């Protein structure tokens, strides 16, 4: 074969190869396009499913007696941030949760994050507090946060039987007691917190004094609450219109349902009481900042300002020593610290 023919044949081969490559790419592109579209549709479907699940959880948490694992994960995240910000981490802390409600999920997660011991203090032991499924669901959700896996979940939940969880007593203790009567040793606790509980306290002053007693010097206490009439959230100020003695006689301790008793303290009263007890105020707000919280509140509390008619009907004892704005404030976030060196009392 002559040199010219070899060159011509090579050119033909190259051309055929290029055409083949182009054809392959065209076919591959046509095949890849539907596959990419399928993946995009699957992703969109998954995101929509997650939105539906979240919407159902939010509806459940607004209306249900037993909160969802998502709610308790949210609570755990809120109070974890205070511990990290003011104490460094949850690791090796002794912690008290006041009013855990229907689950000790935050406590279980904090133990999994390395906390030394969690005490949950409540006057009512909710029947659902040891249901196994919410704990397992919460631990699955918590996989997004590496901080929660210093200890394995199986160290926290020792066994499941009949749908109930046996929680490790070396780390978790439920105390059926008043918040002002924990019976824990003096200066034995690093962190005291509560979610939607301080508005229900029978004696806030005694409780604050108790928390100061059990906290170590430098320990912190954090609380978030809605200070509203729990009979009808659309009428948040109604209970403030009753004389305190009449209110307690009708809805006070020992009456049922327990959650309908709300003390008549306003956010400013809690701040003043913590300050008077000798605590340092680290954070204080009467506004709600988190998007999830704002959405909950928008639905739960459509009326968030006090009208002239409401103000005229507020009990004189509630108005005394407080401005109209202070009485009208419905929400509180407060974080306080016990001084490293307490003043002589």
């Amino acid at each position: 074969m002559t040199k010219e023919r070899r060159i011509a044949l090579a050119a033909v081969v190259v051309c055929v190869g290029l055409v083949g490559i182009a054809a392959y790419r065209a076919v591959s592109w046509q095949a890849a396009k539907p596959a990419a579209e399928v993946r995009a549709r699957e992703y969109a479907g998954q995101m929509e499913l997650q939105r539906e699940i979240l919407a159902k959880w939010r509806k459940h948490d607004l209306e249900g007696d037993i909160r969802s694992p998502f709610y308790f994960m949210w609570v755990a995240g809120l109070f974890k941030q205070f511990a990290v910000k003011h104490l460094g981490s949850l690791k090796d802390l002794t912690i008290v949760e006041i009013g855990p409600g229907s689950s000790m999920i935050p406590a279980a997660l904090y133990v999994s994050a390395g906390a030394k011991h969690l005490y949950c203090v409540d006057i009512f032991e909710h029947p659902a507090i040891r249901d196994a499924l919410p704990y397992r669901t919460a631990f699955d959700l918590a996989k997004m946060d590496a901080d929660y896996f210093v200890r394995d979940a199986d160290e926290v939940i020792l066994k499941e039987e009949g749908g109930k969880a046996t929680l490790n007593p070396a780390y978790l203790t439920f105390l059926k007691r008043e918040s002002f009567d924990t019976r824990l040793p003096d200066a034995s606790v690093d962190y005291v917190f509560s979610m939607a509980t301080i508005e229900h306290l029978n004696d806030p002053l005694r409780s604050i004094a108790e928390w100061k007693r059990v906290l170590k010097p430098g320990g912190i206490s954090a609380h978030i609450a809605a200070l509203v009439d729990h009979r009808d959230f659309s009428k948040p100020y109604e209970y403030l219109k009753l004389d305190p003695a009449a209110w307690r006689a009708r809805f006070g301790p020992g009456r049922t349902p327990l959650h309908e008793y709300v003390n008549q303290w306003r956010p400013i009263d809690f701040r003043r009481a913590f300050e008077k007890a000798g605590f340092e105020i680290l954070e204080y707000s009467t506004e709600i900042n988190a998007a999830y919280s704002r959405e909950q509140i928008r639905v739960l509390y459509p009326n968030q300002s006090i009208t002239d008619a409401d103000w005229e009907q507020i009990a004189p004892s509630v108005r005394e020593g407080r401005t109209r704005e202070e009485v009208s404030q419905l929400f509180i976030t407060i974080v306080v610290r016990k001084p490293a060196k307490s003043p002589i009392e």
Side-chain angles (χ1 to χ4, degrees), residues 224-225 285-295 297 331-333:
I224 297 175
S285 176
T286 59
E287 303 292 331
I288 299 300
N289 297 318
Y292 177 79
S293 305
R294 287 200 304 270
E295 177 62 18
I297 286 165
F331 311 107
I332 181 173
T333 298

Side-chain angles (χ1 to χ4, degrees), residues 76 83 91 98 160 176 191 210 238 240 322 327:
K91 197 170 185 300
I98 304 295
E160 298 174 25
K176 192 175 181 181
Y191 187 20
E210 173 72 351
E238 287 301 300
L240 300 177
R322 303 168 187 86
V327 172

